[in-house]
Amino acid sequence: DGKAYISDDLWREVAYNTPSHSINERLLCERYDAVLHLVTAAAGAERFYTLENNLARTESVEEARKQDIQTQKAWAPHPRLYVVDNAGNGGFEGKLERVVEACAAVVGLPVLPKHTRKFLLKSDPLASVFSQNGVRTSTFRATKTFLKHAPQRDTSMSYALPQSPSSYSNHAYVRKRISEEGSDSYQYSEVIFDGNERHERKRRISKREYELYLRDADPERSPVEQSRLHFLYENQSFVVHCYLDRNLAVLHCQAARPDGVALPPFLDVGAEIAHADRERFSAYGLAALPVPRAASP
């Protein structure tokens, strides 16, 4: 949060030049499995904004709005940023319910139907499009490798490799993530469907664990290479998944809000991916397809 309250020059001096903090900004963010940002009441619930219940609060409504945007931007590099705004008719209780849903999703507990929605993009977005519209972005590359064996439904996640066959409704994968600065991180994930509900559990793993899991890679599925671009728009968290081995880009909206999605007008957004097509456009489904070959000269 401190980055939102100081100048960029001072932040760089503190975060990069101080010997005890000589790590990059992305690593600071990735100490946390997820970040939940509750938008100030000054943006959308102004009649509840007050200075009387917090002696340290001095901002006017307009100043509070600007500070809130700066705080969102400070956490934008995190790949799992949930922005919970004041939309909807549920009031503060409804806002808290969305926070609980987001926390449950992070740890793999059953939740109410998720608000994440996916849209096809008609073309890969160019970096210049975002800069021209004053939108900051963070990017990284990810490689997903699906495992031949799926997690057991009746046991908690463990280090032992599961033995049941993999399927769309019950599978596991490992992910290698490379940041803009070139640093690597690794993750193990389990995906289990219970009826129409998708439950996902994730945990960080070491490079050694990652390499051990690769021994159980599904020989019928190719590793999926993605470039991901994360940005914020209208109190919503978006991620563009660009599949590097095929002409496909998908816009994911991770906003925890009940009143629909405000799509960014500067992107060429196509149709929403219907529930019936989720498997076909999932990384699991795409991994089973042959990788297109480049045309010979």
Side-chain angles (χ1 to χ4, degrees), residues 56-120:
R57 183 182 296 147
T58 60
E59 297 95 344
S60 66
V61 169
E62 185 59 34
E63 290 171 338
R65 290 171 182 160
K66 292 180 180 179
Q67 193 61 59
D68 188 271
I69 292 173
Q70 290 301 110
T71 305
Q72 290 185 43
K73 290 179 178 179
W75 286 105
H78 198 286
R80 300 189 76 184
L81 171 64
Y82 295 84
V83 180
V84 186
D85 63 11
N86 299 297
N89 300 318
F92 188 65
E93 290 299 321
K95 193 174 183 179
L96 291 182
E97 287 179 6
R98 286 182 276 150
V99 171
V100 172
E101 286 183 21
C103 290
V106 170
V107 300
L109 293 175
V111 295
L112 296 175
K114 297 177 177 62
H115 301 297
T116 301
R117 294 169 65 179
K118 301 178 182 180
F119 301 83
L120 294 174

Side-chain angles (χ1 to χ4, degrees), residues 2-15:
K3 182 185 178 183
Y5 293 86
I6 60 178
S7 67
D8 289 344
D9 289 341
L10 182 56
W11 170 253
R12 282 191 290 269
E13 181 179 350
V14 172

